[in-house]
Amino acid sequence: MSISKRRSTTPADSPPPVAGNGLLHRRALLGQGFLLAGAAATGFGASGNSAAAEPLKDDPWSLTMGDPTPPRQGPSRFEKNVVRLLSNPNHEPRNSHARTPHHMIQGSITPSALHFTINHSGIPDIDPAKHRLVIHGMVRQPKIFSLEDLDRYPMVTRMAFVECGGNSAPMFSSEPMQVSAQQLHGLVSNSEWTGVLLSTLLDEVGVDPKAKWFLAEGGDSCALHRSVPVKKGFDDAMIALYQNGERVMPGNGYPMRLLLPGYQGNMNVKFLRRIKLIDQPAMSFYEAKTYSQVLPGERFWRFHFLQEVKSFITHPSFGHSLKGPGYYDISGVAYSGTGRIARVMVSADGGKSWAQAALQGDPQPMAFTRFRMPWRWDGQPVVLLSRAWDEAGNVQPLRAEIVAARGQSSQPVKNPNQFINQHYNSVTSWGIDSKGEIKHVYV
Amino acid sequence: MSTCKLLLALGAAGALAAGAALAQSPNLGKTISEADIRAWDIAVLPDGSNLPPGSGTAAQGATIYAQQCALCHGENGVKPAPGYSPMVGLQKFDRMDAPKTITYYEHATTIFDIVRRGMPFMAPRTLSDDQVYAITAYLLAINKLIDEKEVMNAQSLPKVKMPNAGKFIIRFPDRI
């Protein structure tokens, strides 16, 4: 049965293809019956499952007592390849990036062990009993807090993504790099964070109204520091003590980090030991150089605090391959530094037609929302892409728009670990050929 | 009640609540004096605040650089080891992939600050303030941003004119 014939015979109550190349209505995800009704009517059920299964027998693991229960469990030994990608595996004396394997995980919470990290001078081995946080500068009374002190404060729990300003930097290359979503977008992750609101501590030390900034500094050997507007400090900044219910991971800032929901990852200072209220930004080398963007016409942006609205498809994506025509669940993550995700649209024909994806759960502000799109692949070449909108009305730009405004590399980029620029939030497109092989493409 | 009055009433209630919250705030932090924070209080601001006493020249800095910095950042600040930035930088950044280093900074104080807090990379905060001034003078001189003879100290450093000064645009001014 040809695809056009199938389409023309789709009955009214089956999931209608709502956009080109087989995207189905998101309602198809609501009920199994609805999906199957549609599948049967379109002949997909038959083509998907016609091969007869083997007769059943017991496997060895079902016939003997299993392994002992460990006090702290890790993933199955069959999941050994689900790991972060390291930029500096030999621990050379420089920074080190570990990227989240987005194409191998699901849902909206990044397991803590897979949360991305960038450490500029290794992971300090901090004794939590000796760690201190001092708040001083333009305040009524400087104060110093131990972890034990902070543990007694009123805490809040919230979801938040943290994204490096340089995430997706390979997308500034004039040619699409043939690398996975992990390599392209692995410098963003999402956790549930628990800690003390910075505003509580700022109220206790008494901030001088003339203080417009604070600098946050870590206890690592590079004493990484960043300047943050006091406004953000009183708004929703948190001293995060817990990540997904357990103490913050060593690489994510143990025993405490600054969390600035929606703001550039590097500003969310880890191993936080000092906050100083000041009347001008400190212009640390990260804000003076690293996270300042060269624009066309010899002008440069600075203080690009926001991680703007973005989405990318994780399944299917580069590194996967499709095993023949039939049903596939397209899914990915969407997030925005300016609020909740309002809508994600998916296209299977390179952006000619779009269908609205289903959003999983209640979207939270400045946090991942997993989106899903039911799809029936007819085996022809397709180009999959997603585009997100947030509640503030911001929309993820198309690639042509971002290239027009920001430019792209003068030569194709060879090294995917290179950051030729930062703050790329345009769409990601996956080209799938008739064999089911997936490439990274620009549309 | 009009919306306006209602908002006023809510505002007053909010202010009371905030006062009550502060009174109930745990207040568990110990007080500490600025003098006792000094060892950590190393950040230098663009207007020169918090620059320490001391001074240095490019000639003094050249020796320290050759011994403690060239290994990674390259002899005379050029041809660094793979993965490290050179110290002699471009004077013009007219394409997005123009490699940036200290000549990109808007303020010379940033050079002092990064060296003082983080360099040499494997033994940070081992240089004296005079040595940091000397290295800063050396790095500025090899980029022809100051004369070789100029002395760098808390007064002269913030006045150094950087080539990119005035070319920066604040991306999200409403967030400040």
Side-chain angles (χ1 to χ4, degrees), chain A residues 185-359:
Chain A
H185 305 303
L187 299 176
V188 63
S189 307
N190 191 65
S191 287
E192 184 205 75
W193 304 93
T194 298
V196 180
L197 285 178
L198 178 57
S199 57
T200 309
L201 304 181
L202 292 180
D203 281 337
E204 286 190 0
V205 297
V207 174
D208 179 337
K210 287 200 280 297
K212 289 283 170 272
W213 297 81
F214 66 87
L215 72 81
E217 192 173 77
D220 42 356
S221 73
C222 62
L224 190 151
H225 76 310
R226 287 298 303 267
S227 310
V228 184
V230 165
K231 233 188 204 178
K232 183 70 173 173
F234 278 108
D235 181 10
D236 58 357
M238 180 200 281
I239 310 295
L241 308 175
Y242 292 87
Q243 175 180 3
N244 300 326
E246 60 183 337
R247 288 287 184 195
V248 169
M249 281 279 154
N252 292 117
Y254 184 86
M256 59 185 74
R257 78 174 305 165
L258 185 62
L259 182 76
L260 303 173
Y263 277 29
Q264 192 182 71
N266 184 262
M267 298 172 74
N268 294 246
V269 174
K270 301 189 284 193
F271 326 112
L272 183 70
R273 75 168 189 182
R274 186 165 77 106
I275 286 177
K276 184 180 188 183
L277 281 296
I278 46 183
D279 61 358
Q280 60 191 295
M283 299 316 293
S284 83
F285 110 100
Y286 299 104
E287 49 220 18
K289 182 196 91 163
T290 314
Y291 297 103
S292 164
Q293 295 84 49
V294 174
L295 300 171
E298 260 196 275
R299 283 290 177 275
F300 321 116
W301 268 338
R302 72 169 172 217
F303 303 138
H304 201 311
F305 305 130
L306 287 174
Q307 295 301 126
E308 295 171 280
V309 59
K310 181 148 133 189
S311 70
F312 52 89
I313 292 172
T314 58
H315 300 77
S317 64
F318 185 94
H320 302 147
S321 56
L322 301 188
K323 309 281 180 278
Y327 183 84
Y328 290 90
D329 190 40
I330 298 172
S331 90
V333 293
Y335 52 98
S336 169
T338 44
R340 294 174 176 79
I341 287 300
R343 185 156 56 106
V344 176
M345 303 295 284
V346 171
S347 171
D349 54 14
K352 287 203 257 317
S353 63
W354 298 84
Q356 193 167 345
L359 304 183

Side-chain angles (χ1 to χ4, degrees), chain B residues 72-130:
Chain B
C72 294
H73 295 296
E75 261 177 66
N76 308 314
V78 294
K79 298 212 181 78
Y84 298 92
S85 6
M87 292 290 107
V88 175
L90 302 174
Q91 302 281 338
K92 209 171 158 65
F93 299 86
D94 52 1
R95 57 185 169 94
M96 83 153 51
D97 39 11
K100 295 182 279 185
T101 182
I102 54 177
T103 50
Y104 184 83
Y105 305 173
E106 181 157 21
H107 309 279
T109 46
T110 301
I111 305 175
F112 185 95
D113 184 273
I114 170 83
V115 176
R116 180 199 213 185
R117 72 177 53 242
M119 299 296 144
F121 190 81
M122 302 303 273
R125 302 192 282 288
T126 53
L127 299 170
S128 69
D129 292 335
D130 285 335

